[in-house]
Amino acid sequence: MQKFISPILALALITVAIPAFAKGSGGAGGGGGGSGGSSADAGPKKPKTSPKQLHCKVGEVVKTIHKFGYQDKKVCATITGSNLTDQELYDQGWLLAKTGEYDWAITVLSAITLKDDPDTLTMLGYSNRKAGRVELGISYYTEALAQRPDFVRAREYLGEGLVAAGRVDQAKLQLQEISKICGTQCEEYEDLQKAINTNTSDNL
């Protein structure tokens, strides 16, 4: 005997299913790159694989080889031959900078095609400043803020660079600007306040 679903039951099932589908469909768009994140972000979360883990040579990057029916394989490659996207280059440059490979990070970040991206400029500033080129780092932060004035992480780094350069009064002005954007309880304000109080930029 053929079974029938009553119109009332069918309507109830549709009503329940539509919100559940709509909620789940948003997940695919949640994995965007670091460059499109909030203005207070320095970059994306730490990538799972780094060039150091694969023992790549300085200046090389990690490339993933996709083979149909086989497990993906990660290899070391030259930047020019890697065909990595800007986001992939940024991810690796960010990680290299945060693990102390400043000049290597600069090489990778400099290969990004979108040269005026605020996140890229900020990490170039960070890498140069930490490598001892403080004034060059400051110039990158300034350029990043010209593109995105409310980028509080860039303002924090700029302030710390100014502290390192002995321009504490100018760093305090950046602290004031940060307070206007995210208040005095945000991480960027607290980090720069600490750098000013201790007269150091090592608390990154």
Side-chain angles (χ1 to χ4, degrees):
M1 179 185 298
Q2 186 175 4
K3 296 183 179 180
F4 294 93
I5 299 176
S6 70
I8 295 177
L9 178 58
L11 180 60
L13 290 173
I14 293 173
T15 303
V16 172
I18 289 176
F21 176 79
K23 182 178 180 181
S25 63
S35 299
S38 71
S39 61
D41 291 336
K45 292 183 179 180
K46 194 173 183 179
K48 294 181 180 179
T49 303
S50 74
K52 291 185 69 176
Q53 291 174 322
L54 290 182
H55 305 290
C56 293
K57 297 178 182 177
V58 174
E60 291 184 336
V61 291
V62 176
K63 177 181 179 180
T64 302
I65 299 177
H66 304 283
K67 289 186 177 181
F68 182 77
Y70 295 90
Q71 186 175 2
D72 290 347
K73 181 180 180 181
K74 295 185 181 297
V75 298
C76 298
T78 62
I79 295 176
T80 54
S82 66
N83 296 321
L84 295 185
T85 65
D86 278 1
Q87 184 63 60
E88 290 169 329
L89 289 169
Y90 178 82
D91 288 349
Q92 293 193 37
W94 182 92
L95 186 143
L96 286 165
K98 290 296 184 176
T99 53
E101 298 285 355
Y102 306 122
D103 289 328
W104 190 352
I106 291 167
T107 299
V108 176
L109 292 166
S110 297
I112 293 175
T113 56
L114 190 60
K115 301 299 183 183
D116 60 351
D117 175 67
D119 290 296
T120 302
L121 292 169
T122 298
M123 290 313 296
L124 282 168
Y126 176 92
S127 301
N128 276 285
R129 174 168 64 89
K130 296 294 284 184
R133 296 178 285 271
V134 177
E135 293 299 332
L136 181 57
I138 288 174
S139 69
Y140 275 115
Y141 299 142
T142 303
E143 191 175 349
L145 289 168
Q147 299 292 331
R148 193 193 301 172
D150 64 345
F151 195 173
V152 292
R153 183 57 56 85
R155 288 198 179 277
E156 176 207 332
Y157 286 174
L158 172 57
E160 288 167 344
L162 291 168
V163 170
R167 289 180 265 167
V168 179
D169 289 343
Q170 294 180 32
K172 290 180 179 179
L173 294 177
Q174 293 304 318
L175 189 67
Q176 292 176 11
E177 291 300 317
I178 291 174
S179 70
K180 295 176 184 177
I181 300 170
C182 64
T184 60
Q185 304 299 315
C186 61
E187 179 184 353
E188 293 78 15
Y189 183 94
E190 292 176 349
D191 285 350
L192 180 52
Q193 180 72 78
K194 183 178 178 181
I196 292 172
N197 290 343
T198 59
N199 201 22
T200 178
S201 62
D202 292 333
N203 59 316
L204 297 179

